[in-house]
Amino acid sequence: MNALTAFFAALNNPNVPFIRYALFAGLMSSTAFGMVGGIVVVRRISYVAGAISHAALAGLGASLYFSEVHAVHWLTPMLGAGIVAVLCSWIIALVTLYAAEREDTIIGAIWAVGMATGLIFIAKTPGYVDAMSYLFGNILLVGRTELRIIGMASFVTALTVILFYPQIQSLCFDETYAETRGQPTAFFTLLLYTLSAVTVVLMVSTVGIVMVIAMLTLPAATAGLVARRLQTMMVLAIALCALANTAGLATSYYLNVPTGPTTIILSGALYLVTLVLRTAAKRLRRGM
Amino acid sequence: MAQKRFPVVTARNLSFAYDTAAVLQGVNFTAYAGEMIAVIGPNGGGKSTLIKLILGLIEPTQGSLHVLGKRPSVARGEIGYVPQYTHFDTRFPISVREVVLTGCTRPVFGRHTKADKAAAAGALERVGLSDRALDSFAELSGGQQQRVLIARALVSDPSILLLDEPTANVDAFMSDRFLELVVNLATDRTVFFVTHDTGYVSEESDRVFCINRSLVEHPVAALRQDLVHATYSQPVRKVLHNKHIDTTHMTL
Ligand SMILES: Nc1ncnc2c1ncn2[C@@H]1O[C@H](COP(=O)(O)OP(=O)(O)O)[C@@H](O)[C@H]1O
Ligand SMILES: [Mg+2]
């Protein structure tokens, strides 16, 4: 109980605004993560999201470099990551749709080349840049500007999913059939990849480039264990994601450990426990 | 059948090749409104390819193909389709009714209307699955899932129905019921009913297309057992007014 009281006190403490920012960032981006995570899981494109998030390091590195060396200060790390993530998602989508190249080859290439580019930019940026913060997350990276971007992008992402829900559901369930219904499947594939790219970047600051993919897939996969409809899965995933973010922040504050890894571990534990419970419930029912 | 002879699908010297391997060559036919056409032929003969051409999923390499006087991809809205292979994940979290509704999803914008939901209920009724509307699609048996896919093809009330081996994973009893259903559906629309096994040739079929690279048409009356036997080295089954008669040793 003391731990919770201390956490709430910290939330109200004007001297540590970053805890409040991290909480809001987690809660707001959870909407986008739950919805897009559901899509990524049922469409089985988590490896695409993985490539996009890792490649975003190129954008992070480039924005650090250009703002330091060429004084391009409007290019914040999050914006740079977002631009590169969206571009990479388009490359993967277009190659998958139109080129006769194997999807996994291009995904591997984007994944590694993106990270390599980012690391070189960081190495060439004068002064000390903590690459670890970007790779594994640091809640101190979330300021008011980031919070505003996260809020807006989450809202637009959620709105897009709600607006196009029947079309997205149809595409995810049976793409060929959607095409025979005259649905522009290439456009929607591009849209889904773009949404994944935008979403992934929203939590890059708090959980880091390497682990953000887990926040996209773990709550959605947990929800998928119990939900029988895509929309139920999305709503549940939003709740689980928000829960993991909040509990992760509180726990890490109490134990004085990094927030990102704590949040990821909690999400993974939630998934495992749900999986075990569901399997046990099924066996019990069959046994009766 | 007393139909005005209104051409629905017209193929003229139609050819198709994947890369260089010819799959269909010099195919000519006209399908008329309200006809039920049985499409038979050996595995790999090009039956599914013809269906995909009619749907506009692939383009002819030569010749022309028109659906209701239009390019196939333009006429898609008029076509209901039951695919041979189900490419989707059968554990996808979706209800039976939602699967049927994807058959009338607006291409870009807009949600399902009350009329759509009524049509979905009607389509499920036709395939005898009204009571499963709210169940998970994943919980149904293979045959039931197949019937849901037929309902999905019916929900937009298409004037053309393309059934690509819809009985592939349906047991023998069900597949006779199936044929009954298809015959009923064919009363007010043009149906292409593809099958490769023993040639489900119904008395109700108006025509039989045999596809093996080229298309040869057999009038149903002339479909003699020895001909089919020679093509398949397999017995023929004939369905007469819902009664299933083994014609292995019958002379037609
Ligand atoms: N996507 C494809 N790429 C290359 N060849 C294909 C493809 N699909 C089908 N084929 C070939 O086209 C031929 C006809 O196939 P198909 O129309 O599916 O036959 P059927 O439905 O009569 O069994 C087969 O030889 C098959 O190997
Ligand atoms: Mg076939």
Side-chain angles (χ1 to χ4, degrees), chain B residues 16-19 21-24 39-52 58 84-85 164-165 194-196 211-213:
Chain B
F16 179 81
Y18 285 107
D19 297 326
V23 177
L24 290 173
V39 180
I40 61 172
N43 250 321
K47 303 180 296 296
S48 296
T49 304
L50 177 66
I51 297 294
K52 284 176 194 156
I58 49 180
Q84 175 177 13
Y85 299 110
D164 196 353
E165 304 202 28
V194 177
T195 176
H196 89 272
I211 295 185
N212 193 1
R213 180 98 76 96

Side-chain angles (χ1 to χ4, degrees), chain A:
Chain A
M1 218 58 239
N2 266 344
L4 263 186
T5 320
F7 179 62
F8 282 119
L11 280 178
N12 285 319
N13 184 348
N15 295 324
V16 282
F18 55 88
I19 296 194
R20 221 162 35 240
Y21 293 164
L23 180 73
F24 289 150
L27 291 179
M28 288 192 299
S29 50
S30 289
T31 34
F33 269 72
M35 288 184 176
V36 177
I39 294 169
V40 164
V41 166
V42 298
R43 187 108 179 104
R44 303 188 179 197
I45 49 167
S46 50
Y47 48 90
V48 173
I52 294 171
S53 63
H54 283 78
L57 189 66
L60 272 174
S63 58
L64 290 172
Y65 176 81
F66 284 113
S67 90
E68 195 62 38
V69 178
H70 300 287
V72 190
H73 293 303
W74 57 267
L75 191 65
T76 63
M78 197 178 208
L79 189 62
I83 292 170
V84 168
V86 169
L87 285 178
C88 288
S89 76
W90 289 351
I91 295 174
I92 297 175
L94 292 175
V95 167
T96 322
L97 288 166
Y98 300 111
E101 177 58 282
R102 289 176 43 155
E103 193 181 19
D104 54 347
T105 311
I106 186 75
I107 284 169
I110 295 234
W111 189 307
V113 172
M115 285 202 87
T117 312
L119 288 172
I120 286 184
F121 271 123
I122 289 176
K124 280 287 158 195
T125 305
Y128 174 72
V129 180
D130 181 15
M132 285 286 280
S133 286
Y134 293 103
L135 288 176
F136 302 109
N138 185 343
I139 56 168
L140 291 175
L141 293 173
V142 183
R144 279 180 172 275
T145 325
E146 283 73 25
L147 208 55
R148 221 168 286 139
I149 298 177
I150 290 173
M152 254 155 49
S154 301
F155 180 73
V156 172
T157 303
L159 201 67
T160 310
V161 173
I162 292 170
L163 215 57
F164 292 112
Y165 182 78
Q167 288 77 17
I168 291 173
Q169 184 195 37
S170 164
L171 177 87
C172 289
F173 177 64
D174 188 347
E175 183 171 350
T176 310
Y177 200 81
E179 196 180 338
T180 71
R181 299 318 306 158
Q183 218 176 301
T185 49
F187 164 76
F188 277 106
T189 303
L190 208 58
L191 180 72
L192 293 188
Y193 281 29
T194 309
L195 289 180
S196 313
V198 170
T199 305
V200 151
V201 171
L202 300 182
M203 262 191 224
V204 150
S205 309
T206 41
V207 296
I209 274 181
V210 174
M211 293 184 295
V212 71
I213 176 73
M215 286 314 288
L216 197 61
T217 52
L218 282 176
T222 310
L225 290 173
V226 288
R228 288 145 50 99
R229 304 279 180 283
L230 181 56
Q231 61 266 49
T232 329
M233 182 175 166
M234 287 177 172
V235 172
L236 253 176
I238 292 172
L240 289 171
C241 195
L243 176 73
N245 267 304
T246 312
L249 188 63
T251 311
S252 67
Y253 178 80
Y254 176 64
L255 297 177
N256 195 22
V257 288
T259 307
T262 313
T263 309
I264 300 289
I265 290 172
L266 282 177
S267 304
L270 215 51
Y271 176 75
L272 275 180
V273 168
T274 313
L275 183 65
V276 168
L277 284 180
R278 194 194 67 151
T279 312
K282 269 197 171 166
R283 297 210 152 216
L284 266 178
R285 230 176 297 147
R286 222 174 293 147
M288 280 195 304

